[in-house]
Amino acid sequence: MGPELPQSSPAPISQFGGPFHGIWYIYLDGSLQGSITLTQESKEVKSVVNNVFTNQFEGRANGNKLKISTEIHPVNGEDSTVTWKVSLRDPNHFSGFQTVKSIGSKVKTALDGDTSII
């Protein structure tokens, strides 16, 4: 037998393009709303603006949990904050809640994300 080789630790998992990076199909109360593209660099997560989600979401990932939000400023109405708090169920699915807050109002809706449109 030869000499014992030194143990090496596994290579660290890259945080860039982490577990929330990619295209997600969004369901509110089980109804498909459209897709959103999320970009993740380290813990920072942002959405890419598209024709369905016209405001950019920004927030942070912490392990399997994600919290992102955006401000909505309608021309004729009250400003609102939309917040998503979700957790990964597996690499291709997350679930949690969308909360929409405005002055004197708070609406919480079931939110699911899926990387495939099944």
Side-chain angles (χ1 to χ4, degrees), residues 8-71:
S8 62
S9 59
I13 296 173
S14 171
Q15 288 295 328
F16 183 78
F20 292 100
H21 188 84
I23 298 171
W24 293 88
Y25 295 93
I26 303 299
Y27 299 82
L28 292 176
D29 280 339
S31 179
L32 179 64
Q33 302 300 303
S35 66
I36 190 168
T37 301
L38 299 177
T39 59
Q40 180 174 355
E41 187 171 348
S42 187
K43 292 184 177 189
E44 300 298 318
V45 178
K46 294 181 181 180
S47 70
V48 175
V49 176
N50 62 32
N51 61 347
V52 176
F53 297 99
T54 57
N55 289 44
Q56 184 179 47
F57 284 81
E58 295 182 4
R60 294 179 64 83
N62 187 5
N64 288 342
K65 296 181 186 291
L66 173 68
K67 180 181 178 184
I68 57 176
S69 62
T70 189
E71 299 289 326

Side-chain angles (χ1 to χ4, degrees), residues 57-109:
F57 284 81
E58 295 182 4
R60 294 179 64 83
N62 187 5
N64 288 342
K65 296 181 186 291
L66 173 68
K67 180 181 178 184
I68 57 176
S69 62
T70 189
E71 299 289 326
I72 298 175
H73 307 287
V75 175
N76 296 320
E78 293 183 11
D79 290 352
S80 300
T81 302
V82 179
T83 303
W84 292 2
K85 289 184 181 179
V86 298
S87 297
L88 285 172
R89 295 190 324 246
D90 60 53
N92 300 311
H93 303 90
F94 63 66
S95 58
F97 293 95
Q98 170 181 279
T99 304
V100 180
K101 289 183 190 177
S102 57
I103 297 173
S105 172
K106 180 178 175 181
V107 178
K108 193 173 187 179
T109 308

